[in-house]
Amino acid sequence: MLKFSGYWLLVTSIIHVIVGVWLYAEQLSEIINSGFFNSITPNPFAPNFAREDAFWFMTLTAFLVILAQLCLWANSQKISLPESVGWNLLITSIIGAVAIPISGFWLLMPPACLMIATSRKANHQIDI
């Protein structure tokens, strides 16, 4: 189940990048054309929310990839992740889906549930 979760999260991260480039093409172009360094909010008293939104949307992709790699690594080591990892992802995705119903937060729920199930199954086997 962790292998499936890992691949699911990798595909989700690829979709996230594609959607991010599509939605934020103008802001990302502005960031690059500004030289990237200190180009998101050069004046903290006059924030550029569009650039900040684009930046954080794209940055989240790295965390999805890290979590995917963690799932794939745990699967290759034949270990489970702590149940709290799955719960954190599930709670975050539920809060995100409630706050922004038309979003990709729904895509994080299946791998989160699989992580929780894998951890519980591993813990149950140890207890026996």
Side-chain angles (χ1 to χ4, degrees):
M1 289 193 277
L2 280 177
K3 186 175 183 180
F4 181 80
S5 294
Y7 286 126
W8 182 288
L9 289 166
L10 279 177
V11 170
T12 301
S13 66
I14 292 167
I15 293 168
H16 204 263
V17 167
I18 293 168
V19 170
V21 169
W22 176 61
L23 288 176
Y24 297 110
E26 182 181 336
Q27 292 85 359
L28 295 171
S29 179
E30 289 173 7
I31 291 168
I32 292 167
N33 291 335
S34 296
F36 193 77
F37 179 78
N38 200 29
S39 63
I40 310 300
T41 307
N43 180 355
F45 299 107
N48 186 327
F49 293 119
R51 286 187 186 184
E52 289 178 15
D53 195 24
F55 176 79
W56 286 111
F57 188 93
M58 298 304 284
T59 300
L60 177 62
T61 303
F63 295 102
L64 293 174
V65 171
I66 290 167
L67 192 52
Q69 290 174 327
L70 183 61
C71 287
L72 294 171
W73 173 82
N75 182 70
S76 73
Q77 299 298 310
K78 307 230 183 314
I79 60 174
S80 66
L81 297 174
E83 193 174 326
S84 60
V85 174
W87 280 111
N88 279 308
L89 183 60
L90 182 61
I91 291 167
T92 301
S93 62
I94 290 170
I95 292 169
V98 169
I100 312 169
I102 300 174
S103 69
F105 282 108
W106 301 96
L107 293 173
L108 300 178
M109 292 179 195
C113 291
L114 289 174
M115 286 181 221
I116 294 166
T118 301
S119 296
R120 287 188 170 190
K121 182 179 176 185
N123 288 337
H124 180 70
Q125 290 173 350
I126 292 171
D127 291 340
I128 295 178

